[in-house]
Amino acid sequence: MNKISIIGAGMTGSTSAHWLAERDLADLVLVDVVEGMPQGKALDMLEAMPIIGSDIEIVGSNDYSATKGSDIIIITAGLARKPGMSRDDLLTANAEIVGKAATETFKYSPDAIYIVLTNPLDTMAYLTMKVNKLPRERVIGQAGVLDSARMCAFLAMETGISVENIHCYVLGGHGDEMVPLTRHSNIAGIPLCDYISADKLEAIVNRTRKGGGEIVDLLKTGSAFYAPAAAVAQMAEAILKDRHLILPCSAYMQGEYGLRDIFFGTPVKLGRKGMEQIIEYPLDADEKVLFDKSVAAVQETHEALKKLVKI
Ligand code: APR
């Protein structure tokens, strides 16, 4: 049986375990600093397995040794946004938490593939790769699956067409500067611009960019977790089943799109080795302007991290 460990058993971590358990993919371990909480959530979820019909094991712990031999480590530990905060506002607190989660898990699972969710996402993925000196294939940030799913959901609401017919791709950092690739997105093969008016499409793009903030403003005490966690489960399945599935994720650039030494959102191919290939989309002049803005925002956060942590 494969093994997935989730660091941070809060809203995103425990909901990730829930979606993963439904997929019957792997034994699951939940780790958190709060005593009793990961154990309680794991036991509660385990008691649901006879109903789901799954024989996976689910355990909770406050000790990283429980993660030993994991195939995938999912990092969701850290603070979530509150209204008025940007993802970048979380940098200082979350860099310390994620740095520790990355190095502690690496001691017990030196061959694991990391999926990072903690924000600021691209920079936390960068930190995870650097502190453990991992090859880039083994660290992937979750952002694009969520951002494109949000765009699909809004388009389905607008058009009344099944989400299964709607294919959206996004590029860029996981922030309000992300670049929804409207030219390459389609409904049953028909370009979006042939389906809905330019102003409706622009409104959907703007709502997608601010999708995380919309949820934060509604919840008031935390950030989105159902959709981010569902995105993680899809990524983990693509890896463990060696599907070679193309999904938008945050990946480490080594010359792709002319970028180097930065985690940046792009469609990538996921399989058993992790991030197997970065898919490069040709950008037109308008997209390039948005792209450059998004690169600058992510670079700024990477630079801020380098002032905090020696990597
Ligand atoms: N080690 C392990 N767990 C930790 C640590 C640590 N050093 N520090 C904090 N945690 C745990 C908290 O105890 C909490 O249970 O991380 C969990 C975070 O859960 P929530 O507060 O519910 O936040 P959540 O909504 O899950 O978001 C977590 O994921 O999507 C991102 O932006 C989001 O950065 C945020 C992260």
Side-chain angles (χ1 to χ4, degrees):
M1 196 59 166
N2 289 306
K3 177 168 174 175
I4 300 177
S5 292
I6 302 169
I7 315 306
M11 300 310 287
T12 315
S14 56
T15 312
S16 297
H18 185 178
W19 290 118
L20 283 164
E22 292 256 21
R23 287 182 188 239
D24 199 24
L25 266 183
D27 290 335
L28 303 174
V29 179
L30 285 168
V31 174
D32 203 285
V33 282
V34 179
E35 276 183 32
M37 184 268 268
Q39 292 88 339
K41 287 188 175 180
L43 181 60
D44 188 14
M45 219 174 295
L46 185 77
E47 289 165 0
M49 291 306 104
I51 304 166
I52 302 291
S54 169
D55 293 310
I56 60 167
E57 285 176 14
I58 311 176
V59 298
S61 181
N62 304 115
D63 189 337
Y64 281 99
S65 62
T67 65
K68 190 173 184 337
S70 296
D71 298 280
I72 294 182
I73 307 275
I74 296 169
I75 299 185
T76 74
L79 305 187
R81 277 199 288 170
K82 301 234 164 65
M85 286 173 90
S86 77
R87 293 182 179 91
D88 289 354
D89 292 335
L90 303 170
L91 180 70
T92 309
N94 285 353
E96 195 181 330
I97 294 168
V98 170
K100 180 157 187 242
T103 50
E104 288 298 314
T105 49
F106 185 68
K107 287 181 195 162
Y108 296 101
S109 305
D111 300 321
I113 294 168
Y114 282 80
I115 303 177
V116 181
L117 271 90
T118 305
N119 276 306
L121 183 276
D122 305 281
T123 303
M124 292 301 107
Y126 183 84
L127 173 65
T128 299
M129 192 187 86
K130 293 283 177 182
V131 291
N132 287 336
K133 299 189 173 52
L134 290 169
R136 71 167 180 171
E137 293 73 22
R138 285 176 42 205
V139 184
I140 309 144
Q142 183 296 118
V145 175
L146 166 66
D147 296 328
S148 45
R150 282 183 173 143
M151 189 166 156
C152 285
F154 299 148
L155 281 161
M157 283 155 65
E158 177 62 37
T159 60
I161 292 170
S162 166
V163 290
E164 284 198 24
N165 290 131
I166 305 178
H167 307 282
C168 294
Y169 302 93
V170 299
L171 208 63
H174 185 47
D176 296 349
E177 292 82 17
M178 75 183 80
V179 188
L181 289 170
T182 48
R183 267 191 325 132
H184 300 283
S185 303
N186 64 77
I187 297 179
I190 297 171
L192 292 183
C193 57
D194 293 349
Y195 237 105
I196 62 171
S197 65
D199 50 331
K200 279 195 174 145
L201 185 53
E202 196 187 328
I204 285 175
V205 164
N206 281 333
R207 191 172 178 194
T208 302
R209 285 208 183 97
K210 298 187 177 120
E214 183 178 358
I215 306 278
V216 169
D217 288 343
L218 289 166
L219 295 180
K220 296 189 179 65
T221 53
S223 56
F225 53 94
Y226 287 116
V232 162
Q234 188 186 28
M235 291 167 69
E237 181 171 273
I239 293 168
L240 292 179
K241 291 193 173 169
D242 200 20
R243 292 197 61 199
H244 312 297
L245 182 66
I246 293 174
L247 292 174
C249 301
S250 184
Y252 186 69
M253 299 289 163
Q254 287 176 325
E256 294 85 1
Y257 294 98
L259 301 176
R260 281 194 182 278
D261 197 36
I262 182 173
F263 263 81
F264 200 66
T266 171
V268 303
K269 195 162 82 184
L270 292 184
R272 196 62 188 82
K273 294 194 179 81
M275 196 282 292
E276 298 180 330
Q277 189 192 344
I278 289 177
I279 313 295
E280 286 188 80
Y281 282 73
L283 302 178
D284 67 18
D286 291 343
E287 288 159 350
K288 185 76 172 66
V289 171
L290 296 171
F291 176 93
D292 288 343
K293 214 173 144 200
S294 186
V295 170
V298 176
Q299 252 158 1
E300 198 180 311
T301 317
H302 277 21
E303 289 311 314
L305 175 78
K306 289 183 208 164
K307 285 187 189 129
L308 286 176
V309 188
K310 246 187 140 200
I311 42 174

